[in-house]
Amino acid sequence: FRSFAQYASLNDHESNFLAAQAANVHRYPARSELIGTRSESGDAALFLLSGWACRARFLADGRRQIIEFLLAGDVVGFMPSHGRRPLAAAYALTGVSVAPASNLYQAFGDAQSFEHFAAVRRALEKNQEMRLINQIVRAGRQTAYERLAHLLLEFNDRLSKVGLARSEERRVGKECRSR
């Protein structure tokens, strides 16, 4: 809910829809495939409720390339052009809890019932594109130190937006008070 609410003020109907989606929780251990590239279509989106996952491509010789990290609050398998076959699989990096987002695309298309979801969809598309651009820049033009620092800052920003990271200000304040 926090993930969607950061993009638009959701009404009660939209909030209830998200709560209903999150009621059917599935847990997967680390290294589980959440969404495969052999899926018939890209309609198999999942809400990542807890844990970390990634989108990755495996090469013929067994190596893999992580394309995108997925954190709690993200939609796993979100494809702006839903219905297409996924181009990269999604894997759990840690134990994860997910909920099927099977009705997400239908809700995105129902502007009368879900008036604020159009803004959410645009924001999800923009964020996904920005993360992919950042990944390309990190891989192509930054030093190892810059890549790691940028990735850690991105994680902190994304986790802060859904209430899962403590701000430096609060930590510093607590340290000063405890002295």
Side-chain angles (χ1 to χ4, degrees):
F1 175 76
R2 283 186 222 146
S3 177
F4 277 37
Q6 69 181 313
Y7 306 125
S9 295
L10 304 180
N11 61 35
D12 288 341
H13 176 65
E14 294 162 335
S15 297
N16 292 336
F17 168 81
L18 291 175
Q21 295 291 302
N24 189 12
V25 177
H26 300 279
R27 290 176 178 71
Y28 294 94
R31 299 182 181 198
S32 297
E33 184 177 272
L34 303 174
I35 295 176
T37 55
R38 291 184 178 86
S39 301
E40 289 301 311
S41 72
D43 291 336
L46 303 167
F47 292 110
L48 183 58
L49 304 175
S50 68
W52 291 47
C54 70
R55 288 179 58 211
R57 291 280 301 262
F58 276 90
L59 304 176
D61 63 1
R63 293 177 298 155
R64 73 171 171 208
Q65 176 65 51
I66 292 176
I67 297 166
E68 175 181 30
F69 289 97
L70 302 163
L71 309 177
D74 287 339
V75 180
V76 180
F78 172 72
M79 297 184 59
S81 304
H82 74 75
R84 289 189 337 200
R85 189 172 153 190
L87 300 175
Y91 301 95
L93 295 174
T94 66
V96 298
S97 296
V98 299
S102 53
N103 298 323
L104 181 64
Y105 292 110
Q106 184 179 355
F108 280 156
D110 185 356
Q112 284 185 313
S113 298
F114 300 95
E115 61 184 294
H116 300 106
F117 276 16
V120 171
R121 181 182 180 147
R122 285 190 302 275
L124 288 173
E125 290 171 353
K126 180 181 173 189
N127 286 341
Q128 186 177 48
E129 182 178 15
M130 182 55 69
R131 286 195 307 266
L132 293 174
I133 289 170
N134 283 341
Q135 182 74 345
I136 291 167
V137 171
R138 273 193 297 269
R141 298 315 261 162
Q142 293 181 327
T143 67
Y145 292 112
E146 290 169 333
R147 285 192 302 268
L148 183 58
H150 188 268
L151 185 61
L152 292 174
L153 288 169
E154 179 183 303
F155 287 160
N156 184 66
D157 181 54
R158 290 171 59 195
L159 290 169
S160 292
K161 287 180 180 177
V162 293
L164 294 175
R166 294 187 320 183
S167 73
E168 187 61 32
E169 218 173 88
R170 280 188 275 163
R171 276 184 279 175
V172 170
K174 285 181 182 178
E175 289 172 12
C176 291
R177 282 191 297 269
S178 66
R179 288 183 184 166

